Amino acid sequence: MAPVGLAITKKAWAGDVAADLLKTVRPPVIWLHFQDCTGCTETLLRTSKPGVADLILNIISLEYHETLMPGSGRQAEEQLHSAMKTYAGKYVLVCEGSIPTKGDGIYFKLGGKPGTQLLEEAAAKAGEIVAIGSCASWGGLPSAGDNPTGANGVADLIKGVPIVNLPGCPPHPYNLLGTVLEFVRTGALPELDSALRPKFAYDRVIHEHCPRRPHFDSGRFAQQFGDDGHRHGWCLYKLGCKGPDTHAGCSTRHFNEMPDVWPIGIGAPCVGCTEKGIAFNVPIFQNASVHNFTPPATYPPIATGAGHPAHIATGLAGLIVGSAVGAAWTAAQRFQSSQESAAVNPPEPPKELVPVSHEKSNEDGGGI
Amino acid sequence: MSITRRQLIKIGIAGGASAALTGTAVAAEEPSAPRDAVGMLYDATLCVGCKSCVVACANANGLTPDTRLDPLHQSPVDLNSFTKNIIKLYTPAAGESGPYSFVKRQCMHCVDPFCAAACPFHALSKDAVTGIVSWDSDKCIGCRYCQLACPFETPKFDWDAFNAKIIKCEFCKERQARGLEPACTYVCPKKAVIFGRRDLLLREAHRRIENSPGKYFDNRVYGEVEGGGTQVLYLSTVSFDKLGLPNLSADEHPSHWLRWQERVMKGFVLPLTVYGVIVGFLKQNFREHDKEMNEEQKKTGLLPQI
């Protein structure tokens, strides 16, 4: 359960990572907010290995973060531009929130500039981009339904810069820490999947490691909120849990560094927040589709033959067969008798088939 | 290059004709497993029923999980076209007492395979070195004689497919070619099923019986002689017929019956005699029939019907 933040990327153990961190220059980080709720920043405040103070003061050099920085207005704006100029090509750009594109970007502006322009300028000089949260990864909540503001993820708008997506609403803070520490140590991104998510956190589905999995395999499902099964901690699949569809590490790495603090752990079905097209798009109570089928906790018996037919069924079948045989016999008898009568009184051949000559008939008539 | 079905049919017709002309037949020998025959030993007393072998088998063989019974689980009830390997559970019937037991069912890889003997085109054949019984799609005509012939009900027909296959365990041939053991023995956490040379496995099975006399049913290894011997061997506390393994004697195998067939067919004398008698009967009947027909025609003046 409880995570150990430093060793998260499985490439090295925590001691190695910590030792290397002392030798490296702190990487400059610029954190931009777009259409967001600041939940991703909030999740980062709830870490202790390293704590956020240790992180921003000793491990990274946080140049710009609207929530954490004391400055504001013109002062903050100047800091952003000077950091972009000083660390051009080297800084890590963390984007939080989706970027609206409709109406020339009027739905989001910073310092008079639309979000799209701000992102383009910041991304052009970035060493790598971390899109934190579902909104920055693929649009998230603002892109749900009709997507009124034309909200997009970073990877939809920016090409040519290495991008890591850390979807989740919010994502686990150690996903960000692991990615940043990996970049600090090696200067490279962690291994990514097809949706640009680091594999160390997103390579398996919730369902595979769900603590409620034995209930799924035994067919013990909570049927509605608050029922007996729900109170006993049974599987939430039938309440619409998206665990089988959702790639994320929540089932092994719980939130707030407390055991069982994560949606399924507290009895709420997974909504699939890390998956594009599932969270905010598939109805919450709709059942997910299972991808990796495994056997249930039951066993087939030795003999799985057809079993024995019931007595009534046997009787019915006998009746049907008997009547069919009887009908066939009767039909055969009738056919035979009609054949015999036909042989005794052969039917008149049809007139048109018999060649009739008038002369001959006249002769016959004359004969009579 | 493998022989195609068309070539096989030609060869079959030519061979049949020549065999009929010369009246010879190939002598069937007493079967014995190849020297380096591989096999599996399944000890039901070790199996915990985790079914990891069922999942591993489906994955290794690229089989679609059977979710027809339960849309959420891979839940086959028997071997079928989705399932080459299955764990079943024997529980004593109501009123009976005794232990329960798991059983792993799969192709037994008979020393003298029933399916291969029944196959008209040798689509099922036994490897001369490893003794693995495998199926060749190029030769199969889809008659499913193998299904009827197999006393273990192992070969399964892919009913839903347009170009149907015969599905059965082939000891993970592809994995073996890569130097790996079959998926089921590889994943088994209790080593309840182990893979190796058949003679060594037999020795191991007898060692286990000797070490704990009275533990195993009948103090015997199922598959040592049953049905002429199989390359998959079983140890169990529960009697083998309760686990669904048929009671076969040592000489219930195809070669044995083939020898009887040879005796009957020797020199083609008996068949010819039977054919002669039948033809005689027919001739006699037709003569009667013709006579009646002519009389009828004379009487009525009508052409005979049919």
Side-chain angles (χ1 to χ4, degrees), chain A residues 122-143:
Chain A
K125 294 177 190 165
E128 70 154 341
I129 300 177
V130 177
I132 189 165
S134 299
C135 303
S137 296
W138 46 265
L141 178 66
S143 73

Side-chain angles (χ1 to χ4, degrees), chain B residues 171-192:
Chain B
F171 273 172
C172 286
K173 279 194 299 184
E174 318 73 42
R175 281 176 62 89
Q176 284 198 51
R178 288 185 280 137
L180 301 167
E181 63 176 309
C184 58
T185 59
Y186 176 74
V187 297
C188 183
K190 291 277 285 177
K191 293 294 157 217

